[in-house]
């Protein structure tokens, strides 16, 4: 069997041959004895030859084949059409590029007609720079050289010239603001007239442990949980003193008397905030203390705005050093301005604050109590500030540029232990010179006279135990015997303290309870 | 000054955005990336007004991102030295005042404020003439001249003056 020969064609071939046979021989096959067709029928031979190609037999197959061919031709045609289309696209792109290039070369001569304003901007820049140079030359020849008092965004804010970074950065005013030293001095001097007219000085206030105490919510001890129900609303902060700020994960307690303090101080001082917290913290605290912005304005200096890390300085305060007072709980934060500083007792409201300073005592929140308002640290400091201020502006018409508030402060301090003569017994290490000891210096600052030997004029003996010679002498001569806490207390409370509260028996009692 | 210019940018698109809305995604990504940015050359891009063409995307090796070069039309704002602008005062202090003209921050120093205006401190600090007729305080509109500009990635800073003729307060909303 021939597999290549399609079956339908074979059958159609057979049918055709049969038909032909019928036509030529009719019914004679019935009676035939031998096969005549094989020799005498030429049609058969022809047919066999013709039908070697099956397509001849079966018309269907023929048409099918023709269709296939046509399809192939059509495919080829469409492919070539697509190719042509792509070629046309690339030609269009090339021509548009060429036209742009030609336009740009024209534009360099007449920018007004250019469609690309890249070059218009550049053209304007060039023209303006040449005009600027001419103008600056004229200006500088007529008005003199600009001395670049400061820069805003690295440009001199008087002449606009680009400057390298010089001077002091005043980030709390604007992050791009810098001022030259001369300009700072000029601003400070010109300020004096204003201060004179207003009868005001400058006061720089610390935040943490001075005006308020903050803690992270996570650090709250179980005994402090009750505070959650006592917090004041943040929408209207007046009248409140305990605030919870979820977005900062913090709780803040304002020191008692702080609102009255700020109100009264603002009448005598132009006030600054200077904190070691970051800027967002500083701004948030200012909102709590001064919701209307009337006390501090934009005078909020945070640690991001200071010039030296971990140190506070008056270099970014636009006021003469002779007219600035500082209120802070940490003396070491102000290495260069100890004379302007009033040290205040630390405000520990939260337990975390006590822990931070290694205090073994319970915090105010745990004891469910608070500093006394009329007798607290802020009230005391306010009195001192009033005294210093009064001394400064004593003579109404006097020119204040010669006065120094630091001297006023010293004067106020010297009143505290005036008239006392103090001898120290076994308080200082024997190797060191007693005059150099900070306690000696503190006593002298407070107005007391210090001596190393006892004599009739001595009023107080400072000792740490009763058995010393000087202590026994004092008891005999009916002089006061106190421990060093008496001097420290006078320093913090700005008032001479009753000596009975600082006797050595008291000290023993205290030490006894601590040991227990 | 405002300009309407054609800029080009190569935008990278993550394959998750491919599909029917490819073009829309590409355009919205472009708007998010470009509107509100600054460049030294063109200034501040205020708004995109139209897309001129989007080129064929090129697949990056290694990642599946596709980079499309897009040409778009936009309005840009660029201040120039010597230009006169109107601005709104935002802060007044003894060194001068700060004003804003849209995205541009301008500082006018006391040195470039007319000498007859004095600084008055208080809860609304301001600069006032000796006769009290003209006052510059927060929220005032002033006309000023730019004397220097500086551009960085997101902001433009300018230094201005009001010491010349026809410059100064235009409108004071606080005044009666």
């Amino acid at each position: 069997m021939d597999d290549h020969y399609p079956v339908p064609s074979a059958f159609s071939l057979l049918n055709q041959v049969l038909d032909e046979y019928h036509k030529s021989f009719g019914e004679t096959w019935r009676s035939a004895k031998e096969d005549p067709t094989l020799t005498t029928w030429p049609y058969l031979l022809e047919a066999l030859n013709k039908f070697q190609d099956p397509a001849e037999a079966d018309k269907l197959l023929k048409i099918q084949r023709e269709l296939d061919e046509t399809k192939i031709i059509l495919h080829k045609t469409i492919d070539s059409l697509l190719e042509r289309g792509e070629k046309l696209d690339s030609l269009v792109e090339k021509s548009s590029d060429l036209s742009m290039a030609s336009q740009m070369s024209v534009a360099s001569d007449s920018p007004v007609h250019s469609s690309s304003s890249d070059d218009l901007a550049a053209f304007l820049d060039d023209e303006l720079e040449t005009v600027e140079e001419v103008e600056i030359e004229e200006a500088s020849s007529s008005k003199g050289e600009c001395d670049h008092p400061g820069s805003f965004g690295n440009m001199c804010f008087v002449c606009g010239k680009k400057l390298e970074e010089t001077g002091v950065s005043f980030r709390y005013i604007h992050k791009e603001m810098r001022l030259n030293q001369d300009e700072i001095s000029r601003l400070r001097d010109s300020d004096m007239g204003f201060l004179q007219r207003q009868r005001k000085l400058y006061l720089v206030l610390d935040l943490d442990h001075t005006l308020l105490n903050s803690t992270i919510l996570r650090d709250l001890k179980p005994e402090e949980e009750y505070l959650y129900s006592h917090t004041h609303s943040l929408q209207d902060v007046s009248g409140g003193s305990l605030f919870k700020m979820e977005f900062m994960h913090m709780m803040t307690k304002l020191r008692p008397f702080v609102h009255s303090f700020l109100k009264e101080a603002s009448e005598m001082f132009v006030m600054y905030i200077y904190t070691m917290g970051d800027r967002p913290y500083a701004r948030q605290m200012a909102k709590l203390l001064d919701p209307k912005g009337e006390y501090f304005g934009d005078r909020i200096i945070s640690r991001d705005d200071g010039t030296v890390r971990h140190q506070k300085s008056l270099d970014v305060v636009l006021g003469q050093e002779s007219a600035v007072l500082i209120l802070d709980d940490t003396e070491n934060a102000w290495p260069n301005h100890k004379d302007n500083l009033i040290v205040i007792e630390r405000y520990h409201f939260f337990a975390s604050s006590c822990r931070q300073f290694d205090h073994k005592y319970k915090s105010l929140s745990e004891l469910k109590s608070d500093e006394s308002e009329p007798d607290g640290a802020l009230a005391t400091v306010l009195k001192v500030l009033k005294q210093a201020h009064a001394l400064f502006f004593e003579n109404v018409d006097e020119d204040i540029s010669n006065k120094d508030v630091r001297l006023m402060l010293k004067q106020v301090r010297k009143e505290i232990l005036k008239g006392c003569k103090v001898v120290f017994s076994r308080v200082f290490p024997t190797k060191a010179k007693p005059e150099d000891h900070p306690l000696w210096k503190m006593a002298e600052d407070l107005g007391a006279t210090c001596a190393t030997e006892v004599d009739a004029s001595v009023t107080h003996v400072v000792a740490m135990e009763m058995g010393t010679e000087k202590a026994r002498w004092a008891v005999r001569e009916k002089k006061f015997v106190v421990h060093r806490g008496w001097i420290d207390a006078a320093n913090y409370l700005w008032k001479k303290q009753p000596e009975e509260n600082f006797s050595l028996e008291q000290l023993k009692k205290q030490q006894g309870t601590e040991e227990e | 000054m405002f300009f309407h210019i054609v800029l080009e940018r190569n935008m990278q698109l993550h394959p998750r955005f491919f599909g029917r809305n490819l073009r829309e995604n590409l355009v919205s990504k472009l708007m998010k990336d470009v509107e509100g940015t600054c460049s030294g050359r063109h200034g501040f891009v205020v708004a995109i007004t139209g897309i001129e063409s989007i080129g064929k995307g090129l697949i990056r090796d290694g990642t599946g991102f596709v980079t499309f070069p897009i040409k778009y039309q936009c309005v840009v704002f660029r201040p120039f030295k010597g230009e006169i602008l109107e601005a709104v005062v935002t802060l007044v202090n003894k060194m001068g005042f700060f004003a804003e003209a849209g995205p541009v921050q301008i500082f006018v120093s006391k040195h470039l404020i007319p000498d007859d205006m004095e600084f008055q401190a208080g809860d609304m600090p301001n600069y006032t003439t000796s006769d009290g007729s003209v006052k510059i305080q927060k929220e005032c509109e002033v006309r000023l001249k730019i004397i220097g500009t500086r551009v960085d990635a997101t902001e433009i800073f300018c230094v201005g003056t009001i010491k010349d003729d026809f410059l100064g307060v235009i409108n004071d909303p606080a005044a009666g």
Side-chain angles (χ1 to χ4, degrees):
Chain A
M1 282 277 283
D2 195 282
D3 289 311
H4 299 292
Y5 204 87
V7 171
S9 307
F11 274 106
S12 67
L13 162 62
L14 285 169
N15 280 329
Q16 277 186 32
V17 170
L18 221 55
D19 284 338
E20 277 297 318
Y21 189 80
H22 262 283
K23 276 192 210 140
S24 25
F25 298 109
E27 297 286 313
T28 54
W29 59 274
R30 289 179 196 275
S31 57
K33 288 207 174 69
E34 46 174 63
D35 192 3
T37 53
L38 288 169
T39 47
T40 56
W41 196 28
Y43 174 77
L44 194 59
L45 290 166
E46 263 182 58
L48 280 171
N49 276 328
K50 202 167 84 173
F51 293 118
Q52 289 302 316
D53 183 10
E56 292 290 301
D58 190 0
K59 285 214 166 61
L60 268 173
L61 210 63
K62 199 173 186 175
I63 293 170
Q64 182 72 29
R65 196 184 283 183
E66 278 174 19
L67 265 174
D68 282 333
E69 282 180 26
T70 320
K71 208 162 75 171
I72 291 171
I73 293 173
L74 268 173
H75 273 261
K76 283 199 189 135
T77 317
I78 292 187
D79 277 339
S80 55
L81 205 60
L82 284 171
E83 262 189 62
R84 179 171 164 270
E86 280 183 37
K87 282 191 188 147
L88 278 174
D89 274 334
S90 69
L91 276 174
V92 166
E93 272 186 54
K94 282 185 187 156
S95 65
S96 62
D97 283 342
L98 276 171
S99 72
M100 284 265 282
S102 69
Q103 277 177 354
M104 294 220 299
S105 61
V106 170
S108 61
D109 291 324
S110 59
V112 181
H113 300 293
S114 153
S115 62
S116 153
S117 82
D118 263 11
D119 297 283
L120 177 59
F123 170 71
L124 269 174
D125 264 337
D126 290 335
E127 284 297 303
L128 284 167
E129 269 173 37
T130 51
V131 169
E132 263 298 301
E133 282 168 19
V134 171
E135 267 182 21
I136 286 179
E137 276 171 29
E138 286 176 9
S140 55
S141 61
S142 58
K143 291 175 197 164
E145 291 276 324
C146 172
D147 51 359
H148 308 312
S151 66
F152 179 68
N154 291 341
M155 299 175 282
C156 167
F157 52 61
V158 174
C159 68
K161 217 170 91 159
K162 283 222 168 3
L163 289 179
E164 294 300 324
E165 288 198 354
T166 55
V168 183
S169 169
F170 276 75
R171 270 186 293 268
Y172 69 97
I173 296 180
H174 195 282
K175 72 173 175 15
E176 297 290 328
M177 182 67 67
R178 298 186 82 92
L179 288 177
N180 225 339
Q181 211 44 53
D182 294 334
E183 176 71 1
I184 296 175
S185 313
R186 189 198 70 86
L187 280 168
R188 285 183 175 149
D189 287 333
S190 71
D191 224 25
M192 292 307 269
F194 164 73
L195 292 182
Q196 174 112 33
R197 282 192 302 274
Q198 300 273 320
R199 287 172 67 83
K200 278 193 174 172
L201 292 168
Y202 285 104
L203 181 61
V204 176
L205 294 165
D206 177 44
L207 286 181
D208 291 308
H209 307 106
T210 303
L211 296 180
L212 46 85
N213 188 210
S214 295
T215 183
I216 312 178
L217 290 175
R218 218 174 352 134
D219 288 343
L220 282 173
K221 285 171 78 170
E223 296 91 26
E224 296 175 301
E225 296 283 317
Y226 76 94
L227 292 171
Y228 276 108
S229 51
H230 287 78
T231 57
H232 200 86
S233 142
L234 282 172
Q235 305 305 333
D236 174 23
V237 299
S238 57
S241 65
L242 183 65
F243 301 95
K244 181 176 69 155
M245 282 141 312
E246 287 285 357
F247 51 94
M248 288 175 84
H249 312 293
M250 276 187 150
M251 198 184 273
T252 299
K253 170 75 175 63
L254 302 183
R255 198 165 196 167
F257 197 68
V258 73
H259 293 295
S260 327
F261 174 83
L262 287 174
K263 188 152 182 295
E264 292 196 45
S266 68
E267 283 157 25
M268 297 184 289
F269 296 93
V270 172
M271 299 197 286
Y272 277 77
I273 285 181
Y274 198 143
T275 175
M276 276 290 144
D278 58 18
R279 206 175 290 132
Y281 174 75
R283 295 270 148 100
Q284 179 60 40
M285 294 300 120
K287 274 198 217 139
L288 296 179
L289 289 166
D290 179 23
K292 291 189 205 143
E294 52 187 340
Y295 300 136
F296 301 110
D298 58 345
R299 293 178 299 271
I300 300 170
I301 307 173
S302 66
R303 72 160 176 254
D304 307 325
D305 307 315
T307 41
V308 182
R309 283 234 241 140
H310 308 302
Q311 238 184 55
K312 296 185 183 177
S313 174
L314 291 179
D315 54 355
V316 287
V317 171
L318 287 171
Q320 290 282 23
E321 287 186 18
S322 61
V324 179
L325 282 175
I326 308 168
L327 185 63
D328 200 325
D329 64 292
T330 320
E331 197 178 343
N332 296 328
W334 294 92
N336 303 327
H337 297 101
K338 295 215 163 103
D339 292 330
N340 301 71
L341 178 61
I342 298 175
V343 183
I344 191 174
E345 197 187 326
R346 284 203 181 109
Y347 182 53
H348 294 298
F349 186 78
F350 295 108
S352 61
S353 177
C354 280
R355 245 179 304 152
Q356 203 182 351
F357 289 93
D358 278 334
H359 278 341
K360 296 179 220 42
Y361 318 114
K362 278 194 178 277
S363 70
L364 290 167
S365 60
E366 290 168 303
L367 296 168
K368 292 209 166 73
S369 83
D370 207 349
E371 255 186 19
S372 139
E373 251 195 54
D375 276 333
L378 284 179
T380 316
V381 170
L382 186 63
K383 283 193 204 110
V384 175
L385 290 173
K386 281 187 179 151
Q387 278 177 299
H389 182 270
L391 272 176
F392 195 89
F393 289 108
E394 216 168 15
N395 304 326
V396 181
D397 294 320
E398 190 187 345
D399 181 12
I400 59 166
S401 39
N402 300 325
K403 292 205 119 181
D404 193 334
V405 76
R406 292 169 283 200
L407 297 172
M408 308 295 142
L409 196 63
K410 278 198 167 73
Q411 236 179 299
V412 173
R413 235 204 200 107
K414 279 205 152 51
E415 297 287 319
I416 303 173
L417 289 183
K418 198 163 166 180
C420 299
K421 188 157 175 193
V422 177
V423 165
F424 296 93
S425 167
R426 297 246 188 100
V427 178
F428 308 134
T430 37
K431 271 183 271 178
K433 271 204 325 199
E435 302 87 63
D436 292 337
H437 198 274
L439 194 61
W440 180 292
K441 290 196 181 146
M442 194 191 284
E444 292 203 314
D445 283 342
L446 292 168
T449 12
C450 299
T452 41
E453 290 307 323
V454 293
D455 63 39
S457 58
V458 169
T459 53
H460 293 77
V461 170
V462 175
M464 295 314 277
E465 48 195 27
M466 279 315 285
T468 71
E469 205 188 287
K470 295 195 180 93
R472 276 182 276 129
W473 173 90
V475 171
R476 273 198 313 271
E477 301 290 317
K478 303 265 193 299
K479 308 285 186 187
F480 291 112
V481 180
V482 287
H483 61 83
R484 64 164 289 169
W486 181 75
I487 298 187
D488 288 327
N491 189 34
Y492 275 111
L493 298 173
W494 291 80
K495 211 167 58 167
K496 193 162 92 160
Q497 299 299 303
E499 288 82 352
E500 305 86 66
N501 300 345
F502 295 91
S503 69
L504 290 172
E505 290 94 46
Q506 287 270 352
L507 182 66
K508 274 213 192 80
K509 269 194 218 148
Q510 261 181 15
Q511 283 174 341
T513 49
E514 272 177 41
E515 275 160 15
E516 274 171 41
Chain B
M1 216 183 308
F2 290 95
F3 294 95
H4 189 210
I5 55 171
V6 175
L7 290 177
E8 178 161 4
R9 191 182 166 88
N10 289 332
M11 293 296 308
Q12 276 206 7
L13 204 62
H14 190 277
R16 80 168 90 102
F17 298 116
F18 295 175
R20 217 163 10 141
N21 298 324
L22 175 69
R23 199 189 155 92
E24 274 92 53
N25 284 323
L26 201 55
V27 170
S28 59
K29 188 162 193 283
L30 176 75
M31 289 194 175
K32 235 186 334 169
D33 277 1
V34 166
E35 278 180 0
T37 58
C38 263
S39 75
R41 193 111 179 68
H42 306 290
F44 194 85
V45 176
V46 177
I48 295 179
T49 55
I51 308 288
E52 217 176 65
S53 71
I54 304 181
K56 287 194 203 167
L58 198 62
I59 306 179
R60 305 216 75 84
D61 285 333
T63 68
F65 283 83
V66 174
T67 307
F68 291 90
I70 306 189
K71 283 205 177 74
Y72 56 97
Q73 293 171 329
C74 54
V75 175
V76 293
F77 176 60
R78 199 196 140 164
F80 283 91
K81 262 181 284 205
E83 190 180 343
I84 315 275
L85 278 184
E86 278 99 46
V88 175
V89 176
T90 52
L91 189 82
V92 181
N93 68 19
K94 65 179 125 194
M95 292 167 33
F97 65 84
F98 290 86
E100 266 178 27
V104 173
Q105 295 200 27
I106 309 165
F107 173 60
V108 179
S109 144
K110 174 85 177 65
H111 299 263
L112 297 174
I113 295 176
D115 298 324
D116 59 346
M117 300 197 90
E118 282 299 319
F119 176 65
Q120 318 278 3
D123 55 339
M124 263 303 249
N126 59 69
Y127 280 91
T128 313
T129 48
S130 38
D131 56 1
S133 56
V134 183
K135 217 191 230 193
I136 301 180
Q137 58 187 11
K138 199 169 162 186
E139 303 297 311
C140 260
E141 287 175 30
V142 281
R143 185 173 288 127
L144 43 83
K145 184 161 132 174
I146 307 280
I147 54 170
T149 66
R150 201 203 85 169
V151 183
D152 73 18
T154 49
E155 292 175 288
I156 308 184
F157 302 109
C158 294
V159 171
T161 172
I162 56 168
K163 219 169 189 180
D164 289 340
D165 294 333
F166 308 112
L167 301 178
V169 178
I170 312 168
N171 181 26
D172 187 357

